[in-house]
Amino acid sequence: MRLDRAFFARRTTVVARALVGQTLVRVEDNGARTAGRIVETEAYLGPEDRAAHTHGYRHTPRNHAIWMHPGAAYVFFTYGMHHCFNVSTLAEGKPQAVLVRALEPVEGLDRMRQRRSKARRDTDLCSGPAKLCQALGINLTHDRLDLTRSPHLWIARTRRRAHPASRIAAGPRVGVDYAGDWAARPLRYCLHGSPHVSPPRPG
DNA sequence: CCTCTGATCTTCT
DNA sequence: GAAGATCAGAGGG
C-alpha cells in the first residue's frame, strides 16, 4: 500500500527515519518495474539549515518542489551528470525535504544492471543518491510529481518487523562540509549493517 | 579500506 | 563566472 499525504506531513526528521525500510517503486511507461527498500535517508530542515537548498528561504524554479505539498518529488540535476531524489515534507509552504540516499534492490535487478553497467556488484547498484536514480531511471521528468498519486513513482508501506527502529543509526550528512555547524548534526539515517548503504559507512 | 582527481553542465550570482 | 546534497577509477596501506 502506497504511503499517503499524512505520512509525509510530519516533522522532517520523523519522516526521514520512518522512510528507512519502506519501498521505493518505479514503473516505466512499458510497465517495467524496479523497486528497492530504502536503507539510507537524510533530513534537510529548510531556511535555517545551511546545507539545504532552501537555506535563507531561497525559492527558485529548480527547488520549487520542496515548497509544494508533502509527498511531492524533488528531483535535481547536479555535477553536470547526476540526479538526486527527494520527498517534500511537513506542509505546503514549509520548505523541508528528505533525500533518499540508498536502496537495497528488491525488484527488476536485471533492468538496474542494464542501466548501471558500471556497477561491479549488486551492492553498487543503488548505494548512493545518484546511483539509485540511474538504476530506477529517475530524472527531471519526475520533479514535482505527487508520490501519493503518480502511477510512475511512489513509496510503498513495507512491514519493518525485520528492520526495527532500534536498528537505524543516525550520523552526519554526506557532502555538506560547507554547512558550518549544521554539517555535524546527525540528520543522516542508515539501516544499521546494511551493505547497500552509501559510503562513508557509519560505524 | 582510504584519499585524490577528472568528468561535465545546469543553475544561480 | 563559480559552485555543486556525486561517481568511478587509480593508487596506496
Side-chain angles (χ1 to χ4, degrees), chain A residues 12-68:
Chain A
T12 304
T13 52
V14 171
V15 176
R17 200 177 258 279
L19 277 175
V20 175
Q22 313 295 342
T23 305
L24 179 60
V25 181
R26 161 95 172 101
V27 178
E28 296 172 64
D29 287 330
N30 64 12
R33 279 172 68 108
T34 42
R37 179 171 295 111
I38 297 171
V39 298
E40 178 183 354
T41 63
E42 284 178 357
Y44 285 85
L45 302 186
E48 315 289 310
D49 183 353
R50 292 182 60 186
H53 286 176
T54 52
H55 177 234
Y57 292 94
R58 200 171 76 212
H59 189 170
T60 68
R62 175 164 97 141
N63 70 16
H64 177 70
I66 313 178
W67 299 78
M68 293 171 62

Side-chain angles (χ1 to χ4, degrees), chain A residues 17-200:
Chain A
R17 200 177 258 279
L19 277 175
V20 175
Q22 313 295 342
T23 305
L24 179 60
V25 181
R26 161 95 172 101
V27 178
E28 296 172 64
D29 287 330
N30 64 12
R33 279 172 68 108
T34 42
R37 179 171 295 111
I38 297 171
V39 298
E40 178 183 354
T41 63
E42 284 178 357
Y44 285 85
L45 302 186
E48 315 289 310
D49 183 353
R50 292 182 60 186
H53 286 176
T54 52
H55 177 234
Y57 292 94
R58 200 171 76 212
H59 189 170
T60 68
R62 175 164 97 141
N63 70 16
H64 177 70
I66 313 178
W67 299 78
M68 293 171 62
H69 54 73
Y74 169 45
V75 180
F76 67 89
F77 183 71
T78 189
Y79 289 104
M81 61 191 107
H82 295 307
H83 297 276
C84 293
F85 168 78
N86 306 248
V87 190
S88 175
T89 58
L90 200 57
E92 184 169 0
K94 302 283 189 183
Q96 302 195 12
V98 173
L99 169 69
V100 177
R101 282 196 60 89
L103 307 175
E104 173 188 338
V106 299
E107 189 174 352
L109 271 71
D110 286 340
R111 187 84 179 95
M112 294 188 193
R113 294 186 192 107
Q114 240 174 44
R115 284 196 281 235
R116 294 259 319 125
S117 53
K118 288 176 184 167
R120 299 248 165 190
R121 298 156 290 171
D122 285 351
T123 49
D124 297 328
L125 288 174
C126 300
S127 58
K131 294 179 191 175
L132 72 90
C133 284
Q134 196 180 357
L136 271 57
I138 296 173
N139 54 58
L140 287 182
T141 67
H142 306 287
D143 185 43
R144 306 186 189 182
L145 229 53
D146 185 352
L147 297 177
T148 70
R149 298 199 177 279
S150 170
H152 298 297
L153 194 61
W154 70 89
I155 301 174
R157 178 155 263 137
T158 306
R159 300 281 173 233
R160 211 205 281 170
R161 282 177 308 190
H163 309 290
S166 60
R167 297 209 44 187
I168 296 175
R173 293 172 294 182
V174 177
V176 296
D177 294 338
Y178 56 83
D181 50 342
W182 281 85
R185 292 206 185 192
L187 296 174
R188 178 195 192 201
Y189 303 95
C190 297
L191 185 62
H192 188 263
S194 170
H196 302 279
V197 165
S198 77

